[in-house]
Amino acid sequence: MRPKDLGRIDMRSLFLLFVLVSFFSGCSNDSSGYRVDDPLVQVGDKILSGKDLNRFISNLPEHLRFESLVDSSTRAYLQSLIDGELLLSEAQNTGIGEMSELYQKVSDEINQILSKEISAEFVDSQVFILENELQMVYEDMDLGWEVWPAHILSETHEDAMAVINELESGRPFSDVAKEMSKADDADRGGNLGGYFGEGDVVPSLREATYHLKEGEFSDPIRTRDGFEVVKLLKKRRLSFEVMRGKINKQLTRKKWTQRREVVVDSLSKVRNLVYFRNRVNAVVSGIFNRAVSEEQVADTLISYTGGRILVGDAIRGLRNIKKGALPPDSAAVFTEIYRWILPDSLFALEGREQGRNQLPRIVRWSEKRRRTLMIGQLRIEYLRGRVEVGDKEVEDYYEKYIDTYKKLPGIIEMTEVLVEDKQLAQEIYNRANDGESLNNLATEYSIRLTLNSLGGHTFKDSGRVIIESLYQSPYRDFFGDSNNTEVGVIQKPMQVQDFYSVFCLDQAYEKTAVPFKQVKRPIRVKIKEERESVIFSVYLDSLREANRDSVQWFDSSIETYYKTQSR
């Protein structure tokens, strides 16, 4: 008896069929007689059961689920399953299911799964870290040191030696910094304002300063900014307990890399790897978007028993993996291939030779993935060329919904009096509250215009300050991204940098809109997707209508299902 004949058999035969299915599948039923394999809908030869519906609902994100299962919500869920079957059938009928690109994509994704599983079994699970190893690394490598430095920046080595001479004559470091340093922090005596760990400074500075004792200063150090003389103000060592997590992470990564290299080397020897090094220049050209012929892309770069890596594979892999700096030459290309591409290729092949790609869970996943890709490709093919969005309507959309794009913090306009002494700041605050003009007080007392300018801030006479919308500052932290409640309110002294500020907001401000050029493309995509959704919905309705007679709803089973599930 074929599945499509289920709607025409009598209840006694149907009951017998359910008993047999239950026997062979091990399904259970509750006191109501409901079983998860009961058919709820039949689409052509395909039966959709309570098990299928349960799986569908469980995979839905919470915000897409109905609050309760009743007749209407159950049928809405089932309609989604029906739509999937109709679209899948249409994709098969139009030949999409036979597209080699889809099979290749599924195969590539299976390879990724197999590679991860082999790595987990033969690499990840073989990495062990003992507590005494962590302690030994901490002690042997003398880790955990942090330094609080001050520095003086000079343009030339001769200028830096002049700094050394001044310091050796006994002049205070901060005085020499204020007089001779070219750095922005010269007015603070070159004080960098806090502790730095080993990973917080460039190697040249670390090597030249971490051996210093407190109070000592270095010889001139060449950096990209010029020549630096560094004095060690304070030095401390973090405890092993504080450093343990960081050491564990670094040691685990080191051992993992070593173990991975052992496995890759072993597989490489077994599979007799051969490198075609004369073809690596085509990879270099490809990753830098220079011309590479189709013949070159199809050439073998690395061959081994059971598989190979093509020039095109290397180009695509390195582009995807190396989001930052790409390998600049042929030697670096092979290093990166060995590190990122070859292991995955060898691990995936190992997984296939072990038959893991034939495991039921992998087969089920691949079929589900292929179905998803087929439906997605059907949508792409049907909508191709049907929707065009012009520049004018994109701009009109932006203007119409401008409020939704007001996400940037507004520009702050305020008046500030900045002084070095906290007590003086309190006196200025009191005088301003008694009615004196904050602008006049700024003209008389503020030191702001004598300091180096800050990016994003514009400072004017009489204490006027303008802070650009994208700039983070203590004033923005205080006022927020928009503010219309603090206008004209004299604020109590607040520490800003190493000084004290008395300030007030001059006028209200609101969030400003993201510039049109930054959202032009997302708006175009949004309009296009909305129109495509409408067009595809009409197409789906036509499929529903055309296949109306091939869809059969089992009303009594549906009622039993949602009543049982709602308990």
Side-chain angles (χ1 to χ4, degrees):
M1 183 179 298
R2 295 177 300 171
K4 68 179 181 180
D5 295 323
L6 280 174
R8 295 193 288 271
I9 63 178
D10 60 35
M11 292 302 297
R12 182 177 300 177
S13 299
L14 188 60
F15 177 74
L16 178 60
L17 178 61
F18 287 169
V19 170
L20 290 174
V21 172
S22 176
F23 177 81
F24 287 112
S25 66
C27 295
S28 61
N29 59 296
D30 58 25
S31 59
S32 69
Y34 167 74
R35 296 135 54 92
V36 292
D37 277 341
D38 284 0
L40 303 179
V41 174
Q42 184 169 338
V43 187
D45 291 340
K46 176 72 174 182
I47 290 178
L48 300 174
S49 68
K51 184 186 294 184
D52 298 314
L53 187 53
N54 287 343
R55 188 181 302 116
F56 174 76
I57 295 173
S58 67
N59 288 330
L60 283 176
E62 195 65 35
H63 69 278
L64 292 181
R65 299 185 190 183
F66 292 103
E67 292 185 4
S68 61
L69 272 179
V70 294
D71 185 73
S72 60
S73 58
T74 302
R75 289 177 183 272
Y77 286 138
L78 286 170
Q79 185 62 60
S80 294
L81 288 173
I82 293 169
D83 292 343
E85 295 299 326
L86 296 179
L87 292 169
L88 185 66
S89 176
E90 189 69 11
Q92 293 280 23
N93 293 337
T94 56
I96 288 176
E98 302 307 315
M99 291 177 64
S100 60
E101 294 90 340
L102 296 187
Y103 283 102
Q104 186 61 52
K105 185 169 181 59
V106 173
S107 179
D108 290 344
E109 292 181 2
I110 290 175
N111 285 344
Q112 293 174 15
I113 294 172
L114 297 179
S115 176
K116 289 180 180 178
E117 289 190 0
I118 294 296
S119 179
E121 183 172 337
F122 293 99
V123 180
D124 304 4
S125 65
Q126 303 304 309
V127 175
F128 306 97
I129 304 295
L130 301 177
E131 189 68 20
N132 67 327
E133 288 183 281
L134 299 176
Q135 187 77 48
M136 287 175 60
V137 170
Y138 175 76
E139 296 297 343
D140 293 347
M141 298 187 67
D142 200 23
L143 299 179
W145 286 104
E146 292 185 330
V147 297
W148 186 324
H151 74 137
I152 298 173
L153 175 64
S154 302
E155 292 182 352
T156 67
H157 186 270
E158 290 75 16
D159 291 342
M161 289 306 301
V163 168
I164 295 291
N165 291 334
E166 292 293 318
L167 296 175
E168 288 180 344
S169 71
R171 289 192 64 191
F173 191 93
S174 60
D175 290 350
V176 177
K178 290 178 181 179
E179 179 182 323
M180 303 180 68
S181 180
K182 304 300 182 182
D184 291 340
D185 50 30
D187 60 314
R188 299 200 302 271
N191 191 328
L192 291 175
Y195 283 101
F196 291 82
E198 292 186 358
D200 299 328
V201 294
V202 297
S204 59
L205 286 175
R206 180 174 65 245
E207 293 168 6
T209 59
Y210 271 72
H211 69 280
L212 296 176
K213 297 178 181 179
E214 290 186 1
E216 291 183 339
F217 55 85
S218 70
D219 292 329
I221 306 165
R222 179 68 180 265
T223 69
R224 66 179 184 180
D225 298 318
F227 291 85
E228 309 239 13
V229 176
V230 179
K231 179 180 179 179
L232 199 62
L233 302 180
K234 298 179 183 179
K235 188 174 184 178
R236 69 183 181 186
R237 190 182 189 191
L238 301 178
S239 68
F240 169 72
E241 288 71 22
V242 173
M243 293 292 296
R244 184 188 181 284
K246 184 176 182 179
I247 297 172
N248 183 66
K249 184 177 180 179
Q250 293 174 343
L251 186 57
T252 299
R253 181 64 186 178
K254 179 180 179 181
K255 284 195 170 187
W256 182 88
T257 301
Q258 293 171 341
R259 173 61 187 173
R260 193 170 188 243
E261 289 179 356
V262 169
V263 176
V264 171
D265 286 345
S266 175
L267 291 175
S268 298
K269 291 176 182 178
V270 169
R271 299 197 176 278
N272 301 313
L273 257 72
V274 177
Y275 290 86
F276 295 85
R277 297 186 180 276
N278 61 314
R279 296 169 180 168
V280 71
N281 288 332
V283 178
V284 176
S285 296
I287 61 179
F288 286 102
N289 296 315
R290 295 194 288 267
V292 182
S293 69
E294 292 184 6
E295 291 78 11
Q296 288 176 304
V297 169
D299 281 340
T300 298
L301 182 66
I302 303 174
S303 69
Y304 49 86
T305 304
R308 60 180 180 161
I309 296 174
L310 304 179
V311 168
D313 297 331
I315 293 172
R316 287 188 297 273
L318 291 175
R319 280 179 179 171
N320 291 334
I321 294 168
K322 301 298 289 181
K323 300 299 184 182
L326 291 167
D329 52 40
S330 58
V333 162
F334 275 113
T335 298
E336 296 303 317
I337 289 174
Y338 180 85
R339 181 181 301 169
W340 300 108
I341 298 176
L342 182 60
D344 286 342
S345 184
L346 292 174
F347 291 171
L349 179 59
E350 184 68 20
R352 286 184 179 274
E353 294 205 348
Q354 291 181 14
R356 297 190 184 208
N357 58 309
Q358 298 300 323
L359 293 173
R361 59 181 173 82
I362 299 292
V363 173
R364 287 194 301 270
W365 179 89
S366 63
E367 179 57 26
K368 179 180 178 182
R369 182 61 177 150
R370 191 177 75 88
R371 288 162 57 99
T372 300
L373 291 173
M374 286 173 60
I375 293 174
Q377 190 63 36
L378 174 66
R379 190 178 192 276
I380 291 172
E381 296 294 334
Y382 182 78
L383 293 171
R384 192 185 305 277
R386 291 177 179 265
V387 177
E388 296 293 336
V389 182
D391 291 343
K392 180 64 167 58
E393 54 187 320
V394 174
E395 190 169 354
D396 289 344
Y397 185 98
Y398 175 77
E399 295 297 337
K400 182 177 180 179
Y401 298 104
I402 189 68
D403 286 344
T404 65
Y405 295 101
K406 289 183 176 178
K407 300 177 180 180
L408 300 181
I411 296 177
I412 297 175
E413 296 188 30
M414 51 173 279
T415 301
E416 171 204 64
V417 183
L418 190 70
V419 296
E420 294 181 281
D421 185 70
K422 186 175 181 179
Q423 184 176 352
L424 176 59
Q426 184 63 45
E427 292 176 4
I428 291 172
Y429 170 75
N430 294 336
R431 290 169 60 179
N433 270 325
D434 288 339
E436 288 194 49
S437 167
L438 199 60
N439 299 94
N440 294 338
L441 291 169
T443 301
E444 183 177 354
Y445 293 103
S446 184
I447 63 170
R448 172 61 75 183
L449 294 181
T450 67
L451 304 178
N452 292 330
S453 180
L454 297 176
H457 292 70
T458 301
F459 302 105
K460 300 181 179 181
D461 293 336
S462 303
R464 294 274 292 138
V465 180
I466 299 175
I467 304 174
E468 295 178 6
S469 61
L470 292 179
Y471 192 80
Q472 296 297 315
S473 79
Y475 295 114
R476 187 168 303 288
D477 292 340
F478 182 86
F479 287 125
D481 291 341
S482 62
N483 196 303
N484 56 13
T485 61
E486 302 287 341
V487 177
V489 178
I490 308 298
Q491 305 296 338
K492 292 182 178 180
M494 180 175 75
Q495 188 166 357
V496 176
Q497 299 165 287
D498 293 328
F499 310 107
Y500 296 91
S501 173
V502 179
F503 57 97
C504 77
L505 185 63
D506 293 337
Q507 62 185 39
Y509 62 95
E510 302 294 340
K511 288 186 178 181
T512 58
V514 178
F516 173 66
K517 65 179 181 180
Q518 293 184 20
V519 294
K520 181 178 180 179
R521 185 178 182 278
I523 290 175
R524 190 187 303 278
V525 171
K526 180 179 178 65
I527 295 173
K528 189 171 186 287
E529 288 179 344
E530 288 176 351
R531 290 185 184 170
E532 288 179 341
S533 180
V534 172
I535 293 173
F536 199 71
S537 293
V538 173
Y539 171 65
L540 183 55
D541 286 340
S542 70
L543 287 182
R544 291 173 179 171
E545 183 61 31
N547 292 275
R548 182 183 297 274
D549 293 339
S550 66
V551 179
Q552 183 177 0
W553 300 74
F554 296 97
D555 296 333
S556 60
S557 294
I558 292 172
E559 182 179 4
T560 303
Y561 171 83
Y562 69 73
K563 286 183 176 179
T564 303
Q565 296 295 302
S566 299
R567 291 178 180 175

